[in-house]
Amino acid sequence: MRKHNIVSLPVLSTSSKDHPLVDVISIYDLRDYIIHSPGLDNEVQLQLLSGRASGARTVLSDTVAQVVASRKHATQEIAATAPLESLIRLFSTLGHHRVLVTGVHPDTKTRSVPHSNERPSRHREWSIGSSCSFTSMGYPDPYDDEDSDEDDEGTSQMWGLTQYDVLHFIQHHNHHLGHPILDTPATSIASTKPLSTTAVIAQSSGLLPVLTIRDSALLAMKQLRDSHTSALPVVDVDGRLVAEIAGPGMRYLTEDKIGYLGKPVLAFINGLQLPKANPYVIHEHFTMSQVMTGLLRMNSDRAWLLNSDEMPICAISITDILSFLL
């Protein structure tokens, strides 16, 4: 995942030569598996005190099969002929990052949304196959013979589509949405609850927590797990946004750096040499069109809505935008 800068990977079975797909695991599955593992806190404290790995077996030595077995929900599948609305409902109601699309034919990638004089209402007439044509997300089989001359014409494939892929597709065809939708204020799109300055208030009231620069990365990952969200803001002593902490940072975790989970979030980011990227921030006057454009240009999964004092109010995620379009 780190090598290819992705957040999910297909898991194939080795029990037969066909190598059927078992499931798709995401960095969020790995994050939760690591945080739940027994002995993690002890290893973190030992590395903080000694400055090196303890030498004992850690959770990072567990197998992919163990991670798959720990998941509560299997990856969803949907037919390429299904309407795009059905795919968006899977993203918005179940919170999936990636959905498997079955029955995609090789020639799909040459197709596009047909031109029409009649503009459809939002996206309801678009098919999932059209989304697949706009994004090349097919799963290659690593066991396939690269030198094979077999013709795959006429055979269907299984592709993976993410929320980001669908947003990219919709943005490319945003002229179908119309100005009333595109000009919707960003404040009307956010479905996440307002942010809370303390974890205690957040847990008792259902608000999303805000992390301070003093909070540890381990606490941050636990807050991400407990709040069922992909990222949380990190604020300075004045409450201003300085960074965000997200699950993909766990891709850089190694056995000798588990101790960094016990350090403050900024030390964790710097110690693991995570890619430096400023959070994508917006203000109340932004429209949905501007938010979509910004998310794609910044290659971000969320926008932080700030008040006039540069303090985060809430987050607008890709899921929020897709849910709004239903």
Side-chain angles (χ1 to χ4, degrees), residues 132 135-141 157-160:
C132 289
T135 54
S136 298
M137 297 298 296
Y139 283 139
D141 188 340
Q157 301 172 349
M158 179 176 289
W159 288 25

Side-chain angles (χ1 to χ4, degrees), residues 40 43-44 47 58 60 253-262:
L40 177 66
E43 182 66 24
V44 169
Q47 290 197 22
T58 70
L60 297 184
L253 196 65
T254 57
E255 295 218 358
D256 61 332
K257 292 185 177 180
I258 290 179
Y260 279 98
L261 285 169

Side-chain angles (χ1 to χ4, degrees), residues 36 94 186 199 234 268-269:
H36 276 292
L94 298 179
V234 182
F268 173 81
I269 292 173

Side-chain angles (χ1 to χ4, degrees), residues 158-302:
M158 179 176 289
W159 288 25
L161 280 179
T162 67
Q163 294 188 26
Y164 192 88
D165 297 329
V166 175
L167 182 69
H168 194 195
F169 173 80
I170 291 175
Q171 173 71 351
H172 187 72
H173 300 278
N174 63 8
H175 55 280
H176 289 287
L177 298 176
H179 288 292
I181 296 175
L182 293 174
D183 294 338
T184 300
T187 52
S188 302
I189 303 172
S191 64
T192 55
K193 298 180 179 179
L195 300 168
S196 167
T197 55
T198 65
V200 175
I201 295 177
Q203 291 177 355
S204 62
S205 62
L207 303 179
L208 288 177
V210 171
L211 299 164
T212 72
I213 55 177
R214 300 186 183 92
D215 291 325
S216 71
L218 185 58
L219 172 64
M221 294 301 168
K222 290 180 178 180
Q223 291 288 354
L224 286 170
R225 176 200 63 194
D226 296 340
S227 58
H228 303 289
T229 189
S230 60
L232 288 173
V234 182
V235 300
D236 60 17
V237 292
D238 296 319
R240 294 185 176 89
L241 182 69
V242 295
E244 67 178 24
I245 188 77
M250 298 292 274
R251 294 178 299 189
Y252 292 78
L253 196 65
T254 57
E255 295 218 358
D256 61 332
K257 292 185 177 180
I258 290 179
Y260 279 98
L261 285 169
K263 295 187 176 183
V265 286
L266 295 184
F268 173 81
I269 292 173
N270 293 326
L272 266 63
Q273 298 180 343
L274 303 186
K276 297 294 191 300
N278 294 326
Y280 173 44
V281 300
I282 62 173
H283 295 85
E284 294 182 357
H285 63 273
F286 273 60
T287 65
M288 189 186 79
S289 176
Q290 292 173 317
V291 174
M292 283 199 302
T293 300
L295 288 172
L296 293 171
R297 287 183 177 178
M298 296 284 290
N299 193 27
S300 179
D301 294 325
R302 69 204 61 83

